[in-house]
Amino acid sequence: MFDGNGFSYNGEGYLMIKSETYPIVGMHCASCKALIERALNGQDGVSSVQINYGTEKLTIKYDDAKISLDKIKKEIANLGTYELITDSKGENVLASPQASKDIVKEKKKQELDNLKRNLIFVGVGLIPFVFLMFWMLLVPILDFPKLESVVDMKTLNTFQFLLATPILFYGGREIYKSAITALKVKAFNMDTLIMIGTFTAWLYSTVITVFPQLLRLESNEVYFEAAVFIIFFILLGRFLEAKAKAKTNDAIKSLLKLQVKEALVERKGREFLIPLEQVVVGDILIVKPGQKIPVDAKIIEGTTTVDESMLTGEPLPVEKGPKDTVVGATLNKSGFIKIRASKVGKDTVLSQIIKMVEDAHASEAPIQKLADKVSGVFVPVVLVIALGTFVVWIIFASLPLAVYAATTVLIIACPCALGLATPTAIMVGTGKAAKRGILIKDAKALEIANKITHIVFDKTGTLTKGKPEVKTYEFVGNIDEVYSSSHWNLPKGLNIKDYISSVILSVEKKSQHPLSEAITNYLDKNTLLKVEDFKDISGMGIRAKVNGLNILIGNQKLMDAQQVVGASQLSKLAETKQENAETVSFVSIEKNIVALLGIFDPIKKESKDLIKQLKNLEIKTYMITGDNMKTAKVVADKLEIDEIFAEVMPDQKAQKIKELQSESKDNIVAMVGDGINDAPALAQAHIGIAMGTGTDVAIESGDIVLLGGSINKTVEAINISKQTLNTIKQNLFWAFGYNALGIPVAAGILYPFFGILLSPIIASLAMALSSVSVVSNSLRLKNK
């Protein structure tokens, strides 16, 4: 039982549970995945295991007090040709993207090289069999003499035996080794089917060749060529599949290539070119025009334009100057700048993007569950079907036909296509999205994003620019009278109005609210005063003390709650401002209104077009805001949003999402937001879409992150989801359909009616190409 913080309670106390993801090599099919998961789940101390066959990553939760990583690695190695990848110290290589890239790349290269050598060996040995097959095909066409008249068949069969045996047991040794190891632990994998099929064909043919009297058959036909062709096509299919799968991971490869290897650092007045790994937070770095920015940092000197297309997918450079933030791996286009490192290593935006994409790749979509269930029982079911096929044909026909049909059933069956159907499409889809500045955190989000029926937008910073400006600032009421009655102690050189402006500036400087920044920017030239007892009142405003005077700055609700004099009389003036889309802030000193601020947040250019596109997709749109209804309605009307939730307190946003979800089980509700107060709503929604320019909390809470604050990418994310899901459905349809049709045909269901019997050679080719076709179909997503 978990408490949500990485701890497990066992009834007596808390245990620390480690959750890690590791690369794993050596898997050939979805049944390998099922075998490893079943074996590890049975180990004491292991809480859960999940393998993504497409990405070849294992995610495991375990109590390292009960089971060590070394033990886990040994258990995996004991199952067959599988290996859990760690570095030389046994550390998780995924903690370092570069280390992961180098170590896994080397392992995959070794695996591919071995596969290539075996493929060449088998391919060369196959040439005589190809010659024999062509001879037999040309006999009726070109009136070639029959083989029996040219060579003694016993001699020919012996030659085939001598040629096929090393091909089978040396060229196909990895297949046999994997199958035998699985059998030792009382399990089956795809290699079990291949081994039984090819060994049966070889053994039958060997008996016919060496001890023909044992079977006393009229025909001396052998199937050595079938066994050899099967091994060749299986190896060829795996080679092509491995090459194709590598392309599905192009997104992470291209992201890793963006990383800078060296940085020019300034220390003690001197410049040093050092490896990127040696840069620490606080270092001052020099970046010249045309160079990539090494790490996340703030500009301390110089101005420039920065190409952030790798981050946002937007081609236009962005102007940057002192105090502006720059992101590692973006391109400094025009100016000489000095920057101070703020995030390095795994904390940089690029490293976090790579991790998010890898996590998405490693996750499983709900649609994959059916395929996993089928894959888990696939091999035993096929073995039963093959045995049944053998029994039926030996009763109703002959031993040669029984061997032929049973072998074909074993070879044509393919759970690999089922295992690859979803993860390969997920990898390409999430990778494509990442290149467009859309980070999709997990496969579930990618699967259901296209089903969104209702979408709720936060107003400030999402539909609007999030950079409010003070549009109007006016003093109200009889401020001279208030000054006289309240005994203000004016600092030297300040008149009453300057003092009020200084009070507002000083109090707002303490606040983190987006409107506060607009006010402080507007009043920045005024004098700062000492502020005491500052308090942020959620959804209403702020209160504090300046020079012993009680200050309130906020909305009408705050003024009414604090029984401020004069607030109700100014309601008409406030309404006029609200009708111009201004958010009104009242300023009170000693419970007397002294000023009004009208703050305007411009609507993003792309917001209206986005709402229009969503309406075309028949998605109902909502806007949620803490603003009053009049201000909210002006913005909503301009954007033609369907419904408004106004004057919503931050802690009520999640409740509004829940209400929409409860209206109908068919409602799929998405929330788009960027602030801390949006985080609960983002988490509550079926799909939380966080603006990448927002807070870390909002980004962490979102299922999809739109980098660069490009809200128009919402529709793009939905379209990528739709394309990916369509590809998954196509893959699964092919994978299920292939096996549903192929296995009965291989078993000989058409033979009694049409005389059609599928060759084991054709079956092996079909099996090999089924996986390649699924991966190739997923790769088509890149060009959509």
Side-chain angles (χ1 to χ4, degrees), residues 546-593:
V546 177
N547 291 343
L549 300 174
N550 293 303
I551 312 298
L552 292 169
I553 305 174
N555 57 23
Q556 181 89 46
K557 281 184 182 179
L558 179 63
M559 300 301 125
D560 292 344
Q562 297 293 323
Q563 298 179 338
V564 172
V565 177
S568 57
Q569 288 88 331
L570 293 168
S571 58
K572 285 193 176 179
L573 176 59
E575 283 177 16
T576 302
K577 292 180 183 294
Q578 289 161 0
E579 286 166 1
N580 292 319
E582 293 178 37
T583 300
V584 179
S585 277
F586 296 82
V587 181
S588 155
I589 297 179
E590 289 295 319
K591 296 198 175 182
N592 288 282
I593 299 290

Side-chain angles (χ1 to χ4, degrees), residues 1-10 13-18:
M1 166 178 184
F2 291 95
D3 67 355
N5 296 309
F7 291 90
S8 170
Y9 187 71
N10 66 355
Y14 281 94
L15 303 171
M16 188 62 190
I17 298 294
K18 293 185 75 171

Side-chain angles (χ1 to χ4, degrees), residues 369-606:
K369 289 179 181 177
L370 176 61
D372 283 348
K373 285 179 182 177
V374 173
S375 298
V377 298
F378 190 89
V379 174
V381 168
V382 171
L383 286 171
V384 170
I385 294 171
L387 181 61
T389 301
F390 180 83
V391 171
V392 168
W393 287 120
I394 204 169
I395 292 172
F396 294 102
S398 63
L399 177 61
L401 184 59
V403 171
Y404 193 88
T407 300
T408 307
V409 168
L410 290 168
I411 298 306
I412 200 168
C414 182
C416 308
L418 285 171
L420 289 167
T422 300
T424 52
I426 295 292
M427 289 168 73
V428 177
T430 53
K432 178 181 178 179
K435 287 183 177 180
R436 295 291 303 134
I438 303 164
L439 294 184
I440 300 172
K441 288 188 179 180
D442 59 46
K444 182 180 178 183
L446 184 64
E447 180 180 329
I448 67 172
N450 72 97
K451 301 174 185 175
I452 293 170
T453 57
H454 298 63
I455 189 161
V456 182
F457 293 94
D458 172 53
K459 181 176 80 71
T460 305
T462 303
L463 293 170
T464 62
K465 289 183 178 179
K467 293 184 178 178
E469 304 163 0
V470 174
K471 192 173 183 181
T472 57
Y473 173 47
E474 53 193 294
F475 300 97
V476 293
N478 192 334
I479 57 175
D480 291 320
E481 186 179 318
V482 174
Y483 163 66
S484 301
S485 63
S486 300
H487 308 292
W488 295 1
N489 183 19
L490 292 183
K492 190 176 180 181
L494 292 184
N495 59 36
I496 297 174
K497 291 183 178 180
D498 288 341
Y499 178 68
I500 293 172
S501 296
S502 293
V503 166
I504 297 169
L505 173 66
S506 302
V507 174
E508 291 288 359
K509 276 276 188 184
K510 297 281 185 182
S511 175
Q512 294 297 316
H513 195 281
L515 299 184
S516 297
E517 187 178 354
I519 295 170
T520 55
N521 287 340
Y522 184 78
L523 299 173
D524 200 36
K525 293 180 181 178
N526 287 278
T527 305
L528 281 174
L529 306 172
K530 186 178 179 182
V531 177
E532 298 175 324
D533 298 337
F534 176 88
K535 186 176 181 181
D536 195 323
I537 304 169
S538 181
M540 293 188 184
I542 50 182
R543 76 181 184 200
K545 280 190 175 182
V546 177
N547 291 343
L549 300 174
N550 293 303
I551 312 298
L552 292 169
I553 305 174
N555 57 23
Q556 181 89 46
K557 281 184 182 179
L558 179 63
M559 300 301 125
D560 292 344
Q562 297 293 323
Q563 298 179 338
V564 172
V565 177
S568 57
Q569 288 88 331
L570 293 168
S571 58
K572 285 193 176 179
L573 176 59
E575 283 177 16
T576 302
K577 292 180 183 294
Q578 289 161 0
E579 286 166 1
N580 292 319
E582 293 178 37
T583 300
V584 179
S585 277
F586 296 82
V587 181
S588 155
I589 297 179
E590 289 295 319
K591 296 198 175 182
N592 288 282
I593 299 290
V594 294
L596 281 183
L597 289 140
I599 302 159
F600 177 72
D601 187 7
I603 296 171
K604 289 178 180 176
K605 289 180 181 178
E606 64 265 30

Side-chain angles (χ1 to χ4, degrees), residues 24 27 32-40 51 76 79 82:
I24 185 168
M27 293 189 296
C32 296
K33 157 190 158 72
L35 169 62
I36 299 169
E37 285 179 341
R38 187 166 63 249
L40 290 182
I51 294 175
I76 291 172
L79 294 172
Y82 318 121

Side-chain angles (χ1 to χ4, degrees), residues 23 77 134 169 180 223 239 243 289 424 494 532 577 634 663 726-727:
F134 269 105
F169 299 111
I180 291 167
Y223 302 133
F239 182 77
K243 299 282 279 185
T424 52
L494 292 184
E532 298 175 324
K577 292 180 183 294
V634 174
E663 283 178 5
N726 286 341
T727 301

Side-chain angles (χ1 to χ4, degrees), residues 88-109:
S88 57
K89 298 177 183 177
E91 297 292 327
N92 191 344
V93 295
L94 295 181
S96 166
Q98 188 62 43
S100 171
K101 174 189 171 187
D102 294 341
I103 296 171
V104 177
K105 183 180 177 182
E106 183 58 33
K107 290 287 184 182
K108 293 300 293 179
K109 185 177 181 299

Side-chain angles (χ1 to χ4, degrees), residues 150-459:
V150 177
V151 64
D152 177 62
M153 291 308 295
K154 183 173 177 59
T155 303
L156 182 62
N157 288 350
T158 303
F159 170 73
Q160 291 186 72
F161 165 77
L162 293 173
L163 196 59
T165 302
I167 290 175
L168 205 64
F169 299 111
Y170 180 77
R173 65 190 180 281
E174 295 297 327
I175 295 170
Y176 276 67
K177 180 182 174 184
S178 170
I180 291 167
T181 310
L183 289 172
K184 283 180 181 177
V185 294
K186 301 175 182 177
F188 304 107
N189 60 17
M190 186 62 207
D191 290 332
T192 307
L193 300 181
I194 299 166
M195 183 190 76
I196 294 173
T198 54
F199 185 76
T200 301
W202 175 87
L203 181 63
Y204 173 82
S205 302
T206 299
V207 172
I208 290 289
T209 302
V210 183
F211 308 107
Q213 66 277 12
L214 285 180
L215 298 179
R216 299 178 183 177
L217 298 172
E218 293 181 8
S219 170
N220 61 352
E221 183 181 358
V222 293
Y223 302 133
F224 288 120
E225 83 286 348
V228 171
F229 269 100
I230 288 165
I231 293 295
F232 175 75
F233 283 130
I234 297 302
L235 293 178
L236 177 63
R238 287 182 181 176
F239 182 77
L240 294 175
E241 181 188 318
K243 299 282 279 185
K245 275 170 68 178
K247 293 180 182 178
T248 64
N249 220 10
D250 281 350
I252 289 180
K253 288 179 183 175
S254 60
L255 287 170
L256 285 166
K257 285 178 184 176
L258 292 172
Q259 290 179 319
V260 179
K261 289 185 170 53
E262 295 178 318
L264 188 60
V265 63
E266 185 181 272
R267 290 175 180 169
K268 296 181 180 179
R270 295 177 61 191
E271 295 178 8
F272 301 91
L273 190 64
I274 62 174
L276 187 68
E277 295 79 28
Q278 294 180 15
V279 176
V280 296
V281 173
D283 268 343
I284 294 175
L285 308 174
I286 294 167
V287 188
K288 298 173 183 178
Q291 292 183 336
K292 283 185 178 180
I293 293 164
V295 295
D296 296 2
K298 280 195 176 180
I299 297 176
I300 58 172
E301 183 183 314
T303 58
T304 188
T305 55
V306 178
D307 179 356
E308 296 184 335
S309 56
M310 55 73 60
L311 184 71
T312 64
E314 302 298 333
L316 294 177
V318 181
E319 292 185 3
K320 299 279 186 176
K323 295 185 180 180
D324 284 338
T325 299
V326 288
V327 175
T330 55
L331 182 64
N332 179 27
K333 294 280 286 184
S334 58
F336 176 93
I337 55 172
K338 285 187 180 182
I339 58 176
R340 179 174 281 112
S342 56
K343 290 181 181 178
V344 299
K346 62 183 176 59
D347 296 325
T348 64
V349 169
L350 180 60
S351 293
Q352 289 174 351
I353 290 171
I354 292 169
K355 186 176 186 307
M356 282 186 187
V357 175
E358 284 186 329
D359 288 346
H361 284 187
S363 63
E364 280 197 345
I367 198 172
Q368 177 69 13
K369 289 179 181 177
L370 176 61
D372 283 348
K373 285 179 182 177
V374 173
S375 298
V377 298
F378 190 89
V379 174
V381 168
V382 171
L383 286 171
V384 170
I385 294 171
L387 181 61
T389 301
F390 180 83
V391 171
V392 168
W393 287 120
I394 204 169
I395 292 172
F396 294 102
S398 63
L399 177 61
L401 184 59
V403 171
Y404 193 88
T407 300
T408 307
V409 168
L410 290 168
I411 298 306
I412 200 168
C414 182
C416 308
L418 285 171
L420 289 167
T422 300
T424 52
I426 295 292
M427 289 168 73
V428 177
T430 53
K432 178 181 178 179
K435 287 183 177 180
R436 295 291 303 134
I438 303 164
L439 294 184
I440 300 172
K441 288 188 179 180
D442 59 46
K444 182 180 178 183
L446 184 64
E447 180 180 329
I448 67 172
N450 72 97
K451 301 174 185 175
I452 293 170
T453 57
H454 298 63
I455 189 161
V456 182
F457 293 94
D458 172 53
K459 181 176 80 71

